[in-house]
Each structure stands twice: as C-alpha cells, then as structure tokens.
C-alpha cells in the first residue's frame, strides 16, 4: 500500500537512555529541522537539545500518558495537513512503555508515512548485559501494581521459556522481585540493571531470591529486570502423579495449599495445573 502523498511524515525518535552523546546523528538532525516536536517532557527535551548543541526551531508540544489520546488526534490533524511531526520520549523508543502507540495506530489507519530514527533501548541493552539467553526473549513492560493482579500475571508467565524483560519502579522493585521469586522459584536466574549507560550504572546478577533480599536496601534509579525463561520440565507431568506428590506432603503435615505450591515449583508447572490435578483426583 502506498502512503498518503499529501500527508506529512511521522518520525519516531529514540532518545538516549542515559548519556546524551548516545544520540544518533539522525536524531540530532531531526531535532534541528523539525517543525513540530511532541515530547513526553518538554523540559527534558530542551535539556537534551542543549547538551547536543542543537537549537530548536520547532513548535514543541507536550505528549504524555495523561494527554496522549487527545494529543494524538491533534497531531494526526497536523500530519494530514502535510506537516511532519517528530515524537520523542524521555528515554528510549516512543511507543515502548511510553506514549506513541495511539498516534502510530492512527497514522497507520490514515496511511500516513511513518519512519523510525533508531537508537538506544533499555530493553536490548539490559538483555545483552544480563548474561541470560538472548536468542529468544519477550518484553513484558511494567508488572501490575496491585498485588493480586501482579501475582496472576507472573503466575501466567511461570512456564514462559523465553528470557523475560521487565521495567519496574525502584519503589516497587523489592516486592516485585519477591513476587517473581514466589511465581518462578527463588532459584530462577535474573539480573537487575540499574541506571543503564549512566555514571552509576550497576548490574546485579543472581537468583531471584537473593536479588529480592538485596533490593530491600533502598535501590534507586531507572530499573530494568531480566529473568531467565522456565527450564525444560524434568519432573512430574501426569495429573495422577502430581496429585500423589501433593498427598505425600499432606500426609507429612504440610498444608495442602503449600504442598501444591511446592510440587508446582519442583516440576516447573503453574500452580493451577497442580491444583486441578488434586481436585480431579479427589473426584
């Protein structure tokens, strides 16, 4: 499908995740030449431009989570009127856990030309420095804030075989790592990447249980968490065998709920699978 010949071009610019000098040559040129820039934080944009020695001649508008829907409609109108729009977030690529997706979808629907100015990414930077497998991975964004929703989301990922990449707030890091240790097992390998590419960059690698204990010491900065995928199951899989393993623990005095959790972790299975096996066996 050919583009809308009368429309402007939507440019998605990847911003540095730490050091300004990581900005691409194309991003510098786009900042200098742009007529309209939609920025997640206009103050950070002006600071970046100053650090890069770029003079902004564009009309700068704010474009953040709370105004994304309304602003996307406005920016689409500019594009349809033939004006180019550069979208830039605080760090990394627009649309990846940052504003941009709605505008891209609207531009696609109207056949507006879209181009990307590639550059730094916290996702791939953390992935390659984690030391965990990189051949297959998935990005899971920010885990849910509410404990129940977070637990359900992580439990659903317990058997995910690919390396997983998450973003997290430093304020919630300790509870999230503890929830991951509960869902994936305390021994699952992981890495916490803090302040990537910045002066105080820190990479902590180890089992989830150890990282959860470390995170209790008031960790600060931008955080990316990388967690190894589920290993190939080597234990029980037959429902009757799973129910029998739970029964053995119950007979030794372990509460049923705890026994189900233990059997699930030992065999690399979701708790729901073991629970269903126990219920069906009792029927």
């Amino acid at each position: 499908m050919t583009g809308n010949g009368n429309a402007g071009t939507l440019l998605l610019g990847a911003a540095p995740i730490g050091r300004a000098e990581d900005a691409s040559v194309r991003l510098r040129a786009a900042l200098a030449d742009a007529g309209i820039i939609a920025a997640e934080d206009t103050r950070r944009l002006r600071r970046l431009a100053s650090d890069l020695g770029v003079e902004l001649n564009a009309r700068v508008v704010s474009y953040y989570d709370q105004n994304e829907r309304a602003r996307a409609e406005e920016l689409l109108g500019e594009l349809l009127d033939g004006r180019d729009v550069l979208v830039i977030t605080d760090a990394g690529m627009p649309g990846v856990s940052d504003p941009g997706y709605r505008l891209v979808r609207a531009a696609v629907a109207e056949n507006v030309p879209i181009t990307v100015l590639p550059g730094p990414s916290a996702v791939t930077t953390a992935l390659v420095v984690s030391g965990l497998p990189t051949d297959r991975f998935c990005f899971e964004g920010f885990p849910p804030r509410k404990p129940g929703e977070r637990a359900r989301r992580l439990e659903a990922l317990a058997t995910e075989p690919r390396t997983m990449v998450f973003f997290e707030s430093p304020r919630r890091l300790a509870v999230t790592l503890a929830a991951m240790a509960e869902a994936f097992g305390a021994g699952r390998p992981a890495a916490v990447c803090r302040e990537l590419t910045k002066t105080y960059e820190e990479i902590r690698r180890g089992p989830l249980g150890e990282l959860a204990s470390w995170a209790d010491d008031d960790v600060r900065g931008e955080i990316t968490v990388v967690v190894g995928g589920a290993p190939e199951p080597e234990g029980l899989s037959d429902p009757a065998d799973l129910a029998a393993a739970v029964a053995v623990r119950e007979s030794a005095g372990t509460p049923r709920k705890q026994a189900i959790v233990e059997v699930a972790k030992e065999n690399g299975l979701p708790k729901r699978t073991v629970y269903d096996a126990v219920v069906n066996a009792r029927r």
Side-chain angles (χ1 to χ4, degrees):
M1 180 182 294
T2 58
N4 184 336
N6 298 317
T9 298
L10 173 60
L11 299 96
L12 305 171
I17 60 176
R19 300 174 182 268
E21 55 265 37
D22 289 338
S24 70
V25 173
R26 289 182 65 196
L27 179 63
R28 292 169 188 255
L31 289 171
D33 296 340
I36 302 173
I37 300 177
E40 184 178 14
D41 187 321
T42 59
R43 292 170 298 179
R44 289 197 183 190
L45 167 65
R46 297 187 189 282
R47 190 182 311 130
L48 174 62
S50 176
D51 290 342
L52 296 176
V54 173
E55 181 179 353
L56 296 179
N57 299 303
R59 177 166 68 90
V60 177
V61 299
S62 62
Y63 184 46
Y64 51 93
D65 289 339
Q66 286 70 29
N67 76 349
E68 182 179 7
R69 184 184 298 274
R71 190 70 84 187
E73 295 179 5
E74 175 188 329
L75 295 172
L76 179 63
E78 299 285 3
L79 289 162
L80 293 175
D81 285 341
R83 286 177 282 275
D84 296 345
V85 175
L86 169 63
V87 176
I88 185 168
T89 59
D90 292 347
M93 181 63 67
V96 181
S97 286
D98 278 323
Y101 172 74
R102 290 184 186 276
L103 182 55
V104 170
R105 291 291 300 168
V108 169
E110 294 291 343
N111 208 21
V112 170
I114 304 171
T115 190
V116 172
L117 312 178
S121 166
V123 175
T124 52
T125 300
L127 177 67
V128 297
V129 80
S130 70
L132 295 168
T134 60
D135 54 334
R136 297 181 65 210
F137 71 95
C138 59
F139 174 58
E140 290 294 327
F142 285 89
R145 296 186 180 190
K146 295 181 179 179
E149 293 178 8
R150 181 171 54 234
R152 287 189 291 273
R153 175 76 60 81
L154 295 177
E155 183 177 347
L157 293 170
T159 57
E160 169 59 61
R162 296 170 294 181
T163 300
M164 295 169 283
V165 183
F166 300 84
F167 288 160
E168 188 52 287
S169 159
R171 298 187 302 276
R172 295 189 296 273
L173 179 62
V175 295
T176 293
L177 288 173
M180 288 178 172
E182 172 70 19
F184 304 152
R188 182 80 70 90
V192 176
C193 305
R194 188 180 71 85
E195 295 288 85
L196 285 169
T197 78
K198 299 177 183 177
T199 303
Y200 298 104
E201 176 181 279
E202 180 181 17
I203 313 297
R204 300 282 300 203
R205 305 176 183 87
L208 279 170
E210 293 181 10
L211 291 175
S213 298
W214 162 78
D216 282 334
D217 294 333
D218 192 25
V219 178
R220 299 181 181 182
E222 299 288 335
I223 304 292
T224 306
V225 179
V226 187
V227 182
E232 288 292 330
E234 298 179 355
L236 305 176
S237 59
D238 183 83
D241 292 336
L242 294 171
V246 171
V248 168
R249 283 170 168 75
E250 282 191 86
S251 65
T254 302
R256 182 181 304 169
K257 184 176 180 180
Q258 181 180 341
I260 289 172
V261 170
E262 291 176 358
V263 171
K265 286 184 178 179
E266 285 181 6
N267 294 281
L269 297 170
K271 288 185 291 185
R272 185 73 192 184
T273 299
V274 181
Y275 173 81
D276 289 344
V278 171
V279 171
N280 290 332
R282 292 182 178 276
R283 286 175 180 170

